[in-house]
Amino acid sequence: MARIVGLVGKANVGKSTFFAAATMKAVDIAGFPFTTIEANKGVGYLRSPCVCTEFGVKDDPVNSACVDGVRLVPVDLIDCPGIIRGAHQGKGLGNQFLDEVRRADALIVVVDAAGATDDNGQPVPPGSHDPVEDVRMLEEEFDLWLTGLIRKDWEKIARTAQAAREEIGRHLEEKLTGLGMNRFHIAETVEKRGLNPHAALSWSPDEIIGFVSELRKASKPLIVAANKADKGPADENVRILKETGYQVVPTCAEAELSLRRATAAGLIHYTPGDSDFEIPEPEKLSGGQTKALELIRERVLGNWGSTGIQEVINSAFFQLLNTVPVYPVEDAEKLTDHQGRVLPDCYLVPRGTTAKQFASIIHTELGESFIFAIDARTKKRLGEGHALNKDDVIQIVAAKSRR
Ligand SMILES: Nc1nc2c(ncn2[C@@H]2O[C@H](COP(=O)(O)OP(=O)(O)OP(=O)(O)O)[C@@H](O)[C@H]2O)c(=O)[nH]1
Ligand SMILES: [Mg+2]
């Protein structure tokens, strides 16, 4: 199943700006809290060096794109409503936020690194709010909400599990499956916290809180986008956020959006993730446009190396979700599909996906009729249990193929 990454965080920090830049969808953006009321769903792109370069071929991408030897693989993003303290009790748009965040497999927590919005997302002078609090608030609100949910029928679930002499995971999973949390997340968490999965009835309230927090981390890993990095004391705040132990990427969503729009309008040459852009025909730009672009070059690209948007998306999928690109072909010699298209598709699959699982991801029937796979690099046969690696090019040989 395709993984989804959620853009979450305090109100008015730039989540929708980030989303608009990543997806080029027109969404509401404004300098006050709760601009987004219902989540926006869209498709962004992951960038990965394409194997076409290594194989020395010209590809014909179908499910993705290839630009100058870089594969752009589509990925699902959701822009969630912003939250404030008390969200777990429904304050602000708490309920709407929680309804959406359950779908996400990983979170990009957008914060205001300029410290120019208060706890409620209201504008304040730069530097007057600590962005570490933005991340903590999100984590705490999520944990309070999840604790409330789990506590509701904790005794009943724990008692049923103990009576059946079974681990808590199987029973708790039923309750949490709609939140994207499964028994593996639960088992991993129980082990990490040193709890007894057979004696959940005797877990103390503090142990339950610790369990919930760890379960959230296991099932919804997060990366911090230190946004508005062009403004205020962002440099210092990025350092503090990193020191606090979060995985942090400084971002400037507003700059990325301007660059993407200028690219779409044919005014500049820019590829997301790049450290600079070109202006092919300077006379086409107004004085204001030139000035705005120069400011982005100086304050954002010059200072941080990029707008950070592409880096965050790549990290969310490659690091947090641990997925790898794999290229299926129907002819391992020619690297083509049945229509003769070279390296048509690139799939993003969890690291460790086996050859047979990969066949099932492409098509259920292909998985069922799987005989073996062929590695296009080595031309070796791979058995059904063979775990695929990053950038593998794989032909599936099946008993009967209706494709
Ligand atoms: N300086 C600066 N401002 C930004 C940046 N990104 C977004 N903004 C501004 O921040 C304000 C809020 O942007 P939105 O994208 O609507 O924020 P949001 O987090 O989606 O807000 P809610 O939907 O209300 O929670 C707007 O005025 C944006 O122009 C940035 O990188 N730098
Ligand atoms: Mg928004």
Side-chain angles (χ1 to χ4, degrees), residues 111-115 129-133 135-136 224-229 231-251 303-304:
V111 304
D112 178 352
H129 189 81
D130 178 3
V132 172
E133 281 306 306
V135 197
R136 293 229 167 100
V224 175
N227 197 40
K228 308 193 186 179
K231 196 171 140 180
D235 298 32
E236 175 67 1
N237 281 334
V238 166
R239 194 182 58 75
I240 296 170
L241 279 160
K242 284 184 179 165
E243 267 177 21
T244 314
Y246 294 111
Q247 189 183 344
V248 181
V249 179
T251 60
N303 193 22
W304 297 107

Side-chain angles (χ1 to χ4, degrees), residues 14-17 28-29 35-36 40 79-82:
K15 299 177 293 299
S16 298
T17 310
D28 292 338
I29 294 170
T35 303
T36 307
N40 299 300
D79 166 29
C80 295

Side-chain angles (χ1 to χ4, degrees), residues 150 153-176 182-191 195-203 208 211 215:
I150 286 182
D153 32 28
W154 177 254
E155 285 208 2
K156 193 171 133 234
I157 294 171
R159 191 166 292 129
T160 313
Q162 277 184 225
R165 295 179 186 279
E166 286 173 341
E167 293 196 4
I168 185 75
R170 259 197 58 197
H171 297 263
L172 192 57
E173 180 184 52
E174 280 173 36
K175 189 174 173 69
L176 301 180
N182 59 38
R183 69 181 71 178
F184 303 108
H185 295 132
I186 299 170
E188 180 190 330
T189 305
V190 165
E191 200 182 309
L195 295 163
N196 181 351
H198 290 282
L201 264 181
S202 57
W203 294 3
I208 295 178
F211 166 76
L215 179 61

